[in-house]
Amino acid sequence: MAAPDMDGFDIREYGASGGSDEPDTEAIQAALDECAESGGTVYVPSGTYVTGPLRVGDQTTLHLDAGATLQFVGDYEAFPTVESRWEGWNQYGFHPCLLVDDAENVSITGRGTIDGGGEYWWQFYDAPESEIPDGLQERLAEFEEKNEKQDDVSSFTHRPPLFQIYDSENVSVSGVTLENSPFWNTHVVYSENVTITDVNIANPADAPNGDGIDIDSSRYVRISDTYINAGDDAICIKSGKNAEGREVGEPASQITVTNCTVEAGHGGVVIGSEMSGDVRDVTVTNCTFTDTDRGVRIKTARDRGGVVEDLRFDNIVMRRIACPFTINGYYFMPLDSDAKPVDEGTPMVRNVSFTNITARQVETAGFFAGLPEQYFEGISFNDVRIDATRPLDATDLDPAMAYDYEQTHALFCKSIADISFTDVRIRTPGGPAMQFEETEDVTIDGLRVPDDQDAPVVSLTNVGRTRVRGCAPQSESEGPFLEASGPKTREISLAGNHGSLAAAVEIADDSDATLERS
C-alpha cells in the first residue's frame, strides 16, 4: 500500500485511476481507512471515479477538487446490508453510498460532486415484480424478513441514501454538490454538532423519496447558504415514528437554518411526520422557497405522540406554492374524525412563530388543524403578507394531505387553543379570507385586506373568544367583515378599530355570542 505524501492521502497513489467504468472502490476505501488511523485529508483529484459504497472514519477530511466526481455504481450487489434508521424506524437496508458512522471530527469539502446514480435505483420503484432482477428480489425479501415493521411506505429500505451521517459528532460538509440520490440525499441521524454550509443538493422532481436534507434525532445542527432542488421535502426534521420513536426518545433539537435557497420540492422546511421523539428549538431565517408545494410544513397524526415546540420562522419569501403554512394533525387521516382518548400516542404542536414572511402566488393561505382531543397551541403571525390568488387547480395538491377537506383559498384553522395575527395582510379571490372552526382563542390585530375583498373577511364557527383590533370594514364590498355562528362561539371583542366595525359583525341565530366594544 502506498504511503501518504506530505500533502495527505491522494487516492491515485492507492490505485484509483478514474475515467473508466471499473470501480475504484478498494483504492478509495484504502485511502480513507489509512487516513482514519492518523488523521488528515483524503484528496480526490479532478476526474470521474466510479465507486461502490464508502465509509469515512475519524479525524478525516475528504476533499473533492473542482471537477472531481465520485460516481456511485448502479449495482445492488455492491451494496451490503446494514442496520440504520429508515423513515423513523431502525431497520435493515442497503448501505448508504457515502457513510460517516460512529466517527468524530470529519469534514467533506471541495468543489467536486458526489453522484448517487439514482437513475439505476429509481427504475425499480413501483416496478412490477417481473421487471425486478431475481437477485434484487432476494435482497428485498431478506430485508422484509429481518424488519419487523411494515407500513404503507415500507419500500423505504429498498434504496440507499446518498450520504448519511450516523451516530457521529463534529461533522462538517461544505462546498460540494450532492446529487441524484437513490433515496434521501443527505441524512443526519443520532448525531450532534453537524454543519452543512455552501452545499448544492439536487434531485430531479420525479426522484422517489428524494428529500434534500433530513435531520433525524440529532442536535446542534446548522444549515446555511445552501441551495436545494429536491424531488421531495427540501429540509426535513424528524425524530422517530410511533412507539419505537418514543422509546428511543432522541429529540431533534437546537437546529438552525439560514440563508438557504430552495428551488423546488414538496416542502421548504418540513417537520415530521416522524416526530415521536420530539422536535424542539428550531430557527429558520433568511430563506427563499419557490415551487415547493408547501412552504413551512408540520405534519403528524394519532399514534405518533411526541411534542413539536418552540419553532421560529423569520424573514422568508415564498412564491408559487400550494400552501405556504401547514400544521396538520391529520396526516393521511379524515379531518372530521371524532375525538379519541388522550394517551402517549397523542401528538402536540405548540409555540410556533411566523414573522416577516411574504408568500405570493399561493393557492391556500394556510392550514392549521390540531386534534379534537388535544388542541395545538401558541401559533402566532407577525408582519406576514399572503397573496392567495393562484387558482386552486394550478396544481393537483391539497393544502395538507388530510382527508375530507374541501380546499379553499382561505387561511383555515381548526382545533387550535390559541392563534394570533398581528399586522397581517391577506388577499383571496373570494370570502372568507380567514376561517376558524372549533378554536378556543383568536386574536386579530391590524389585519389588512383589499377594499374589494369579498365578505365575510373572517368566519367564526364555534370559536370561544375572538379579539379584533386595528381593523376596518371593506369600503367596496357589501356584507359583514366578520361572520360568527355555532353555539360554542361565545365572546367577540372589538377595540381600537377604524370605522364602524361593530356594524360589520354578523352573528347567526344559532350563536349566543356577545359583542363587546371599547
Side-chain angles (χ1 to χ4, degrees):
M1 179 179 294
D5 61 25
M6 293 184 63
D7 293 326
F9 303 78
D10 188 324
I11 64 171
R12 293 172 299 185
E13 297 185 9
Y14 290 79
S17 59
S20 74
D21 294 333
E22 289 299 315
D24 289 314
T25 312
E26 291 186 8
I28 300 171
Q29 190 61 59
L32 289 167
D33 290 344
E34 191 162 341
C35 182
E37 293 177 3
S38 59
T41 299
V42 172
Y43 288 100
V44 181
S46 178
T48 297
Y49 302 86
V50 176
T51 179
L54 300 169
R55 284 180 176 244
V56 182
D58 290 329
Q59 318 299 329
T60 296
T61 294
L62 175 61
H63 180 85
L64 285 78
D65 281 347
T69 298
L70 288 178
Q71 179 66 62
F72 287 92
V73 295
D75 179 7
Y76 64 86
E77 293 181 346
F79 290 76
T81 299
V82 296
E83 185 176 14
S84 185
R85 185 181 249 194
W86 306 82
E87 291 200 344
W89 286 332
N90 292 335
Q91 301 272 63
Y92 288 91
F94 287 108
H95 190 296
C97 297
L98 183 64
L99 175 63
V100 177
D101 182 11
D102 189 24
E104 295 183 357
N105 304 324
V106 174
S107 296
I108 312 295
T109 67
R111 288 296 173 185
T113 298
I114 301 171
D115 191 319
E119 298 90 342
Y120 168 80
W121 299 90
W122 303 331
Q123 66 180 318
F124 303 126
Y125 180 76
D126 277 348
E129 188 173 304
S130 61
E131 297 180 10
I132 299 177
D134 292 342
L136 179 55
Q137 290 188 45
E138 292 174 4
R139 294 292 300 282
L140 302 183
E142 169 199 344
F143 298 157
E144 291 179 5
E145 183 178 352
K146 289 183 175 182
N147 295 334
E148 298 178 356
K149 302 176 184 67
Q150 299 287 329
D151 62 10
D152 292 340
V153 290
S154 58
S155 68
F156 43 66
T157 59
H158 293 185
R159 289 161 285 129
L162 172 56
F163 176 40
Q164 186 178 80
I165 302 168
Y166 188 93
D167 193 22
S168 295
E169 184 175 355
N170 194 20
V171 178
S172 65
V173 187
S174 62
V176 295
T177 294
L178 295 143
E179 63 184 16
N180 298 322
S181 61
F183 180 60
W184 291 348
N185 187 297
T186 298
H187 185 197
V188 181
V189 57
Y190 298 143
S191 296
E192 65 178 60
N193 194 15
V194 175
T195 300
I196 299 172
T197 186
D198 190 23
V199 169
N200 296 313
I201 290 179
N203 281 335
D206 59 353
N209 308 108
D211 289 14
I213 301 172
D214 289 84
I215 304 166
D216 189 353
S217 288
S218 297
R219 61 179 182 167
Y220 311 132
V221 178
R222 302 167 299 283
I223 302 172
S224 66
D225 303 286
T226 288
Y227 164 84
I228 303 174
N229 188 335
D232 207 315
D233 294 329
I235 298 172
C236 198
I237 303 172
K238 302 175 180 288
S239 64
K241 184 187 293 185
N242 297 356
E244 180 185 292
R246 298 193 297 272
E247 182 179 354
V248 172
E250 290 287 344
S253 62
Q254 288 80 47
I255 296 164
T256 60
V257 178
T258 187
N259 298 343
C260 290
T261 300
V262 179
E263 181 178 347
H266 290 182
V269 171
V270 179
I271 296 174
S273 69
E274 305 92 294
M275 39 62 68
S276 303
D278 298 344
V279 175
R280 64 174 73 104
D281 305 337
V282 177
T283 300
V284 179
T285 63
N286 301 342
C287 294
T288 64
F289 304 152
T290 306
D291 296 309
T292 62
D293 294 359
R294 288 96 184 170
V296 176
R297 183 184 189 192
I298 302 171
K299 51 184 178 179
T300 184
R302 292 188 178 104
D303 204 30
R304 289 288 191 266
V307 177
V308 175
E309 64 182 352
D310 300 332
L311 317 178
R312 299 292 179 265
F313 301 93
D314 177 62
N315 206 26
I316 298 172
V317 175
M318 310 184 199
R319 189 178 294 272
R320 291 192 303 276
I321 290 175
C323 187
F325 310 102
T326 298
I327 299 179
N328 179 22
Y330 295 85
Y331 189 52
F332 288 122
M333 287 172 46
L335 181 63
D336 290 324
S337 57
D338 295 333
K340 307 291 184 183
V342 174
D343 58 22
E344 68 276 4
T346 307
M348 167 59 83
V349 178
R350 62 190 176 208
N351 301 336
V352 183
S353 171
F354 302 97
T355 307
N356 303 319
I357 297 176
T358 298
R360 296 190 182 279
Q361 294 173 274
V362 305
E363 297 163 38
T364 295
F367 181 98
F368 303 89
L371 295 169
E373 64 268 23
Q374 181 150 278
Y375 285 12
F376 297 165
E377 60 189 42
I379 315 299
S380 66
F381 286 77
N382 194 317
D383 190 15
V384 174
R385 306 293 184 266
I386 308 171
D387 179 356
T389 57
R390 193 184 191 197
L392 296 179
D393 60 359
T395 66
D396 60 356
L397 301 166
D398 62 46
M401 298 174 74
Y403 299 146
D404 300 337
Y405 168 74
E406 184 176 353
Q407 182 181 10
T408 71
H409 291 283
L411 187 148
F412 174 82
C413 179
K414 180 182 177 71
S415 299
I416 302 295
D418 59 292
I419 186 167
S420 65
F421 302 86
T422 304
D423 294 332
V424 169
R425 295 176 183 266
I426 187 168
R427 175 191 291 269
T428 62
M434 308 176 80
Q435 181 180 354
F436 303 92
E437 299 178 7
E438 305 292 341
T439 295
E440 291 180 358
D441 198 311
V442 175
T443 299
I444 299 172
D445 189 344
L447 173 66
R448 295 290 183 269
V449 297
D451 289 339
D452 60 353
Q453 174 71 45
D454 287 348
V457 175
V458 178
S459 172
L460 309 175
T461 303
N462 292 321
V463 175
R465 185 176 185 182
T466 304
R467 303 174 186 86
V468 180
R469 64 175 294 126
C471 298
Q474 319 92 285
S475 61
E476 298 179 15
S477 258
E478 296 183 358
F481 175 88
L482 185 150
E483 181 180 74
S485 63
K488 295 181 182 178
T489 298
R490 300 295 185 189
E491 179 183 323
I492 301 170
S493 174
L494 307 179
N497 292 290
H498 308 285
S500 181
L501 192 64
V505 174
E506 184 176 289
I507 300 175
D509 293 339
D510 67 346
S511 174
D512 294 327
T514 59
L515 182 61
E516 299 180 358
R517 289 165 283 186
S518 61

